[in-house]
């Protein structure tokens, strides 16, 4: 019985960390002024929170069949999420989205001519 | 205890998804919308994994893996479509 208890307590701490990362990322999504910095917030919320949730779920997995699949999902997610963020950054840069600078206006409406 | 953990985490994922939809609708530039899409595919994956492990059925986790693969491919297609439309716009 104690082994299950330890795993639940550990999973509870990891889920608390995931909630912390999630809320920080979500707040960052709205606070940051331009898409490039929002990418960092989205990576925090969309990659770290999901990763910690999957590790927490891995701890609570009832059988090895479930645990091994969660490990495969974690490995594949580690490949696909950062690549997705890279694609968004490349697209934003090629599309000429203006980069926020402290002296610029708070909201970005204009488009840069040449990247 | 673990049941309560799972359900609370799933509600948190639903909250994050709703907030990301707001970001998706609000986002001024197309890049913001892609950012929101990227986050949402990760959050839905986490929701599926939580659901799969809670029910203890490993078939749900296969669904989550395939969802992640196709979500990533779909995301690639959307970014590529937007890039082509952008080049077309600049030429004309």
């Amino acid at each position: 019985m104690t082994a299950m208890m330890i795993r639940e307590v550990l999973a509870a701490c990891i889920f608390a960390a995931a909630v912390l990362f999630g809320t920080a990322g979500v707040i960052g999504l709205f606070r940051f002024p331009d898409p490039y910095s929002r990418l960092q917030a989205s990576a925090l919320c969309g990659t770290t929170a999901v990763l910690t949730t999957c590790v927490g779920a891995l701890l609570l997995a009832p059988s090895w069949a479930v645990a091994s699949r969660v490990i495969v999902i974690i490995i594949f997610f580690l490949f696909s999420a950062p690549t997705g963020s890279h694609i968004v950054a490349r697209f934003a840069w090629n599309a000429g989205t203006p980069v926020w600078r402290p002296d610029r206006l708070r909201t970005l409406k204009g488009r840069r001519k040449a990247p | 205890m673990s049941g309560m953990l799972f359900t609370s985490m799933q509600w948190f994922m639903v909250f994050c998804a709703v907030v990301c939809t707001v970001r998706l609708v609000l986002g001024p530039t197309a890049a913001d919308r892609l950012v929101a899409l990227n986050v949402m595919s990760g959050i839905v994956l986490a929701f599926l994994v939580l659901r799969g492990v809670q029910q203890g059925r490993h078939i749900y986790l296969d669904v989550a893996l395939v969802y992640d693969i196709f979500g990533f491919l779909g995301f690639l297609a959307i970014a590529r479509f937007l890039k082509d439309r952008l080049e077309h716009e600049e030429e004309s």
Side-chain angles (χ1 to χ4, degrees):
Chain A
M1 192 36 202
T2 52
M4 194 52 192
M5 194 67 71
I6 296 167
R7 276 164 54 184
E8 272 176 13
V9 168
L10 263 176
C13 310
I14 290 183
F15 279 154
V19 168
L20 190 74
F21 288 136
T23 37
V26 154
I27 292 170
L29 262 183
F30 283 92
R31 284 276 300 159
F32 286 144
D34 77 337
Y36 301 106
S37 44
R38 276 187 204 131
L39 256 177
Q40 199 274 336
S42 86
L44 172 68
C45 162
T47 308
T48 327
V50 169
L51 204 62
T52 26
T53 314
C54 290
V55 167
L58 185 66
L59 271 173
L60 289 174
S63 68
W64 272 106
V66 173
S68 55
R69 282 174 170 80
V70 174
I71 291 173
V72 168
I73 285 178
I74 287 177
I75 291 170
F76 185 76
F77 181 70
L78 278 179
F79 284 119
S80 71
T83 331
S85 303
H86 172 70
I87 288 165
V88 173
R90 248 174 72 83
F91 166 74
W93 185 255
N94 292 343
T97 327
V99 185
W100 182 81
R101 281 194 195 79
D103 51 6
R104 279 266 184 90
L105 270 174
R106 180 118 178 71
T107 56
L108 286 148
K109 288 292 172 286
R111 268 173 61 104
R112 213 158 18 96
K113 290 297 161 286
Chain B
M1 227 280 269
S2 70
M4 185 268 296
L5 274 180
F6 278 121
T7 25
S8 56
M9 277 312 285
Q10 279 159 17
W11 278 111
F12 175 68
M13 289 302 158
V14 167
F15 161 71
C16 285
V18 164
V19 166
C20 284
T21 331
V22 169
R23 178 77 263 171
L24 189 76
V25 168
L26 272 183
T29 59
D32 293 318
R33 295 196 168 93
L34 278 178
V35 165
L37 268 178
N38 195 10
V39 172
M40 282 234 283
S41 83
I43 282 171
V44 170
L45 173 74
F47 186 88
L48 277 175
V49 166
L50 282 169
R51 201 66 177 172
V53 176
Q54 186 185 17
Q55 313 279 2
R57 295 233 183 96
H58 42 73
I59 199 69
Y60 288 163
L61 292 163
D62 302 340
V63 169
L65 184 63
V66 171
Y67 170 79
D68 192 28
I69 295 171
F70 281 116
F72 179 57
L73 291 181
F75 186 74
L76 272 171
I78 292 172
R80 183 55 186 262
F81 164 71
L82 285 176
K83 193 161 71 74
D84 291 349
R85 195 171 59 88
L86 199 73
E87 272 144 18
H88 182 66
E89 206 178 79
E90 254 148 29
E91 275 146 25
S92 58

